[in-house]
Amino acid sequence: MSIIPQNFEGWKICVEKKCGIPLTLEFAKRRLAVYEDERLDETKRFVNLYGHEHLRHIKDWFRRIIREEEIKMRF
């Protein structure tokens, strides 16, 4: 069993409940901007620790948060 979340719901619980970080629209946009730039040292460290596949998951999950938050703002 991996301690690294393997799906969106597990990741969201890890970030919001275990780490106490609210997944706000602003936070998601800032983090996604970092992870989309693979030239940044922080993103390189992430890839070295967790790999490109997990980076892809993280970016997809932040995009999902952004979409969901933007939809909430419309209503």
Side-chain angles (χ1 to χ4, degrees), residues 3-74:
I3 62 169
I4 299 170
Q6 301 299 308
N7 59 54
F8 176 76
E9 290 304 322
W11 171 77
K12 189 174 178 182
I13 289 168
C14 185
V15 173
E16 291 187 316
K17 304 293 185 208
K18 294 180 181 177
C19 297
I21 301 170
L23 287 169
T24 64
L25 178 61
E26 296 77 23
F27 177 79
K29 285 182 175 182
R30 284 195 315 268
R31 297 311 306 151
L32 183 58
V34 170
Y35 292 134
E36 286 187 326
D37 189 346
E38 292 194 35
R39 297 169 297 169
L40 295 176
D41 288 340
E42 182 175 348
T43 307
K44 289 177 185 178
R45 279 191 303 274
F46 185 96
V47 170
N48 285 335
L49 289 169
Y50 305 108
H52 278 94
E53 182 177 354
H54 192 59
L55 176 64
R56 182 179 53 80
H57 291 152
I58 293 295
K59 291 191 298 188
D60 288 346
W61 296 338
F62 276 121
R63 287 184 192 110
R64 181 172 171 180
I65 292 293
I66 292 166
R67 278 192 312 271
E68 289 175 359
E69 291 300 312
E70 288 177 341
I71 288 169
K72 286 180 192 175
M73 291 174 64
R74 290 185 210 157

